[in-house]
Structure formats: structure tokens, C-alpha cells
Amino acid sequence: MLETTTKLDAEAAVAALKEAVEAQGLRVAGEINGQANAAMIGAEVPVDRILEVFHPRYALRVWEACKPAGIDIPLRIHVWSDGEQLHVTARRPSEVFAPWGSADLDALGEELDPLCEAIVASLPEVA
């Protein structure tokens, strides 16, 4: 699991993560705003955002290696608050793909791990 705690506020952290995703040659395929969704039912929750991240060139490789593994893409980056600090967590692609038992997916996971590590590490950490 990749984890960090950042000194940025939620909006700045999400913006910085999106820039880091692009810098690593990936794309943000979707964004889920848990706060906004909770507000639609009258609930208030701390920051809860999910960025869905991948790239079509990698999706093709997943599908070629193991079509059912498509359920595990896009990868996700979770930005959340415990009320005091802003946290960012993500599973390493190698962890996501490991259960499929495919050498090709294992190789792709190992190739993508450093990209995801760089994305999470791009945020300034709390000292």
C-alpha cells in the first residue's frame, strides 16, 4: 500500500495529484467526490475523494493478459481526511494484479508500481 499524509488542503492535493498523474504518462479516468455524494443525502463527511487513474495503452495490455482482470482497472487513489490530517492511499498495481496469477499482469504491475509511487510521493508530506 502506498500512503502519505500531506500538508496540502484537499483541493490543492487533488490538483497536484492530477498533475502528477499526467506527468507519469497516465490519465485521470474519473473522480468520485464522496463529500458531494454524501451531501446529496443530507450527510456531512470529511474529505473523501477517489481518483481513477489509468491509460488506454495499459488497459489493452490488461485485457490481452487476462480479460476478467479488467475489473481492477482503472487504479484508484484515495484522498481522505480523518478530520485532522489529509491522507492519500493507493494500492500498488502489482498488489492489484497479483491475485490473477498472470505473469503478464505481474510484469505490468511491476512496470506501473514506480509510476504510482511517484504520483503519491509528489505531494509534500506533513513534517
Side-chain angles (χ1 to χ4, degrees), residues 38-106:
M40 288 191 286
I41 60 167
E44 246 183 78
V45 299
V47 172
D48 196 281
R49 303 270 183 92
I50 296 172
L51 295 179
E52 296 179 315
V53 175
F54 218 58
H55 193 283
R57 72 176 169 268
Y58 296 120
L60 290 173
R61 290 175 57 190
V62 169
W63 299 331
E64 289 170 2
C66 178
K67 188 66 169 179
I71 194 149
D72 285 329
I73 56 174
L75 302 169
R76 291 177 161 200
I77 300 171
H78 191 194
V79 179
W80 57 281
S81 173
D82 59 10
E84 295 179 21
Q85 294 184 313
L86 191 68
H87 304 273
V88 178
T89 57
R91 287 190 191 101
R92 282 182 173 79
S94 59
E95 295 171 314
V96 172
F97 297 142
W100 294 102
S102 163
D104 289 340
L105 284 179
D106 291 344

Side-chain angles (χ1 to χ4, degrees), residues 105-127:
L105 284 179
D106 291 344
L108 179 57
E110 289 176 16
E111 182 180 332
L112 292 172
D113 279 354
L115 304 183
C116 291
E117 290 165 4
I119 292 165
V120 172
S122 71
L123 299 178
E125 292 186 18
V126 172

